[in-house]
Amino acid sequence: MQNQQISVLGCGWLGLPLAKRLISKKFIVKGSSTTQTKKPILIEAGIKPYLFKLGDNKREQYQKFLSGSQIIIINFPPKRIPNIKSIYQEQIKDILPHITPSQKVIFISSTSVYQDTNDWVTESIETKPEKDSGKAILAVEELLKSKLKQNLTILRLSGLVGYDRIPGKFLANKKEVSNGKAPVNIIHQDDCIGLICAIIQKKCWGEIINGCADEHPSKEIFYTKAAKHANLTPPEFKISELSKFKKISNTKSKSILNYSYKYPNPLALFD
């Protein structure tokens, strides 16, 4: 693994600490951002900085950013804007011509590609996303699979928490919140990074893998405890029966990657 080069497309909340972890493992890391103010932060971390926005058609920049890297990590979500599906696909199409047949790619996807099943969800089910963001992400998954085939691994992450992403803020002070008995699907930033590093270490290519904590407390219990932990007013939930939900299975991630989650129980975040 050592001295290989990796390009991390999107050095934000997840990409920046991921790049730092990869550097600690002796990888050479190129990292991209869309903002000039991020450049000194990347340099200080030991990341080779590249500034561009996908969709600006900066082919020379894309090529320089991807060139020489054995592994490319595509890590930026679609913006919640009109025509999200077509715009997100066009952004990815900008870089696809510059990915060579010898390069491996990890696409950071989302469990929003799954529909509510009122049951456990594994990687093998037929995906029928219900929200525009999920439809956009699934369309990009299909685009990448058609071009990269077995050189691609897709990591579908559940709701992201950890450090400055404090779940207690999400529903604090809300009234009449619905579906409080539904199980939550959560993953901590450290486990996101751990899964990505495991994929690289084990050279696990050509796979689709879910990332989610082992335990699935109810929405009401989780967000009430999260709000209290953050010294915020807990949300108030409607008294109702369990309605639509899904429970993301992480069994494949643990078996194929031999991965043990650092935060298997989301409620332990608030102890």
Side-chain angles (χ1 to χ4, degrees), residues 5 7 29-35 39 42 47-52 60-67:
Q5 182 170 277
S7 293
V29 179
K30 295 179 177 180
S32 79
S33 177
T34 60
T35 56
K39 186 174 181 179
L42 298 182
I47 303 164
K48 295 184 178 181
Y50 289 78
L51 300 178
F52 57 81
E60 187 176 342
Q61 276 286 80
Y62 305 154
Q63 189 168 12
K64 287 180 180 178
F65 172 67
L66 300 174
S67 177

Side-chain angles (χ1 to χ4, degrees), residues 189-237:
Q189 184 191 85
D190 289 351
D191 283 317
C192 298
I193 293 171
L195 288 169
I196 295 166
C197 290
I199 290 168
I200 294 168
Q201 182 179 13
K202 293 188 174 294
K203 299 180 180 178
C204 185
W205 308 114
E207 298 288 349
I208 298 174
I209 301 170
N210 292 336
C212 187
D214 292 2
E215 302 295 327
H216 301 263
S218 74
K219 184 177 176 181
E220 182 173 6
I221 291 172
F222 178 78
Y223 285 105
T224 298
K225 192 169 183 178
K228 288 179 178 178
H229 185 263
N231 293 317
L232 299 170
T233 303
E236 295 179 7
F237 288 83

Side-chain angles (χ1 to χ4, degrees), residues 3-203:
N3 299 319
Q4 282 190 313
Q5 182 170 277
I6 296 180
S7 293
V8 179
L9 179 63
C11 284
W13 180 82
L14 176 59
L16 180 58
L18 168 63
K20 291 177 178 179
R21 177 75 63 85
L22 293 170
I23 287 171
S24 75
K25 292 179 176 291
K26 309 302 181 185
F27 286 98
I28 299 165
V29 179
K30 295 179 177 180
S32 79
S33 177
T34 60
T35 56
Q36 185 69 35
T37 54
K38 201 69 169 284
K39 186 174 181 179
I41 297 172
L42 298 182
I43 293 172
E44 184 179 0
I47 303 164
K48 295 184 178 181
Y50 289 78
L51 300 178
F52 57 81
K53 292 182 181 179
L54 291 182
D56 287 352
N57 201 27
K58 294 185 177 179
R59 295 177 183 174
E60 187 176 342
Q61 276 286 80
Y62 305 154
Q63 189 168 12
K64 287 180 180 178
F65 172 67
L66 300 174
S67 177
S69 291
Q70 286 76 37
I71 298 168
I72 298 161
I73 300 172
I74 300 176
N75 171 52
F76 75 101
K79 291 185 177 180
R80 297 180 184 276
I81 54 177
N83 301 320
I84 180 175
K85 184 176 177 181
S86 60
I87 290 171
Y88 195 41
Q89 288 181 87
E90 289 303 316
Q91 288 176 316
I92 296 298
K93 285 178 182 177
D94 260 5
I95 60 167
L96 270 179
H98 308 288
I99 298 175
T100 69
S102 65
Q103 291 175 311
K104 307 296 186 184
V105 175
I106 300 173
F107 176 57
I108 307 304
S109 181
S110 166
T111 55
S112 65
V113 302
Y114 297 120
Q115 64 277 23
D116 288 326
T117 63
N118 292 358
D119 204 345
W120 286 97
V121 170
T122 69
E123 296 85 348
S124 64
I125 74 163
E126 182 182 358
T127 46
K128 297 178 181 178
E130 297 167 359
K131 295 182 179 180
D132 288 344
S133 58
K135 293 174 183 178
I137 292 168
L138 183 61
V140 163
E141 281 190 11
E142 295 301 323
L143 174 64
L144 291 170
K145 284 193 289 187
S146 69
K147 298 291 184 181
L148 303 175
K149 309 204 184 293
Q150 293 303 307
N151 285 340
L152 170 72
T153 284
I154 295 168
L155 180 60
R156 293 173 175 163
L157 298 177
S158 296
L160 305 173
V161 299
Y163 304 108
D164 60 338
R165 187 164 290 194
I166 302 168
K169 294 180 178 179
F170 296 166
L171 296 178
N173 295 303
K174 301 287 187 183
K175 309 289 186 183
E176 294 290 298
V177 179
S178 62
N179 211 18
K181 291 183 173 60
V184 297
N185 300 292
I186 297 293
I187 185 168
H188 192 278
Q189 184 191 85
D190 289 351
D191 283 317
C192 298
I193 293 171
L195 288 169
I196 295 166
C197 290
I199 290 168
I200 294 168
Q201 182 179 13
K202 293 188 174 294
K203 299 180 180 178

